[in-house]
Amino acid sequence: MKAYRFESNWRSTVLAAIFVHFFVVLGAALAMPYLEAANDPLPVDEMTMVELGDGAEEETPGPQAPTPPQPQPMPQQPPPPVQPMPEEPDITEDVADLSPTEAQELEEAVADIQSQEAAAAQGGGAGKILPPAPPTQQIGALVVAGNTPDTSGTDFHGTIGLLVFLDANGHITGYRMTQSSGRRFVDQIVINAVRRFTFEPALDTNGNPMKTMRLLKFPFDGSGSHPFDDDENKRIRTNKTLAAAQAAQQQP
């Protein structure tokens, strides 16, 4: 069998392919501008610059909105002046208006009451201790108005005694603590209450007003203030009724 042999022309084929690709690429490059879409950009308005002359008037601004009022700061008040604390009064006695004789009588009455209280304490009972009445006194001084001290605001429990010296008009001219609480504040509450008392003056054996002494006692038991009335007041009212009846019988 006879074999056929073909000649190879690959070099010519490669060169031909290169030339073909070259011309194809060159033609595409030349035709590309004509193949793009002709999308023209939107026109842009140009800003016209106008120069103002030397005599040109400036534009007058329009009316402006009113500025809201600003809140004014409140003026600071100066702090109130500090008031000094009042001096605590002397509550042991108030006998400035007494004569030397009256002051001596008051001292003797206080000493007598204190001795009676000491004797009653040794006997196991408090007893009803009253100041000695003057020998010419027939009816003692009557408390016609006055409230007891308010004891609900203190923690003191006990009895406070105050001996009051009265003139012929029923006015207080002196006092002396006969039974103190030991605390100046509590004793002052009693004195302030007694200073507002109204007394009917004592009467002598002839029925005339006279000066005298009156012992007042106040139990501190936490109760509030109430109208004052003690056993001595009741006894004085009884004596006044008896004296009035005797005076009526003596009249013709």
Side-chain angles (χ1 to χ4, degrees), residues 206-228:
N206 296 323
N208 299 320
M210 62 175 293
K211 64 182 180 180
T212 187
M213 291 171 288
R214 182 74 153 82
L215 178 63
L216 304 173
K217 288 197 172 185
F218 302 96
F220 272 63
D221 52 4
S223 61
S225 180
H226 58 274
F228 176 82

Side-chain angles (χ1 to χ4, degrees), residues 159-181:
T159 302
I160 297 178
L162 185 69
L163 183 64
V164 181
F165 200 93
L166 304 170
D167 62 10
N169 295 320
H171 298 154
I172 300 176
T173 58
Y175 55 83
R176 176 68 63 85
M177 300 295 301
T178 62
Q179 189 173 353
S180 174
S181 65

Side-chain angles (χ1 to χ4, degrees), residues 139-142 166-170 199-203 209-210 212 240:
I139 299 175
L142 181 68
L166 304 170
D167 62 10
N169 295 320
F199 294 87
E200 190 175 284
L203 302 178
M210 62 175 293
T212 187
K240 288 176 66 70

Side-chain angles (χ1 to χ4, degrees), residues 87-124:
E87 296 182 358
E88 194 172 7
D90 186 6
I91 62 176
T92 56
E93 60 181 14
D94 185 7
V95 293
D97 297 334
L98 299 181
S99 64
T101 303
E102 293 172 342
Q104 183 178 0
E105 292 177 356
L106 182 59
E107 293 289 345
E108 293 175 355
V110 172
D112 191 15
I113 291 174
Q114 291 175 349
S115 62
Q116 293 183 41
E117 289 179 345
Q122 292 179 359

Side-chain angles (χ1 to χ4, degrees), residues 133-151:
T136 57
Q137 177 176 304
Q138 180 183 9
I139 299 175
L142 181 68
V143 180
V144 296
N147 291 332
T148 61
D150 186 1
T151 65

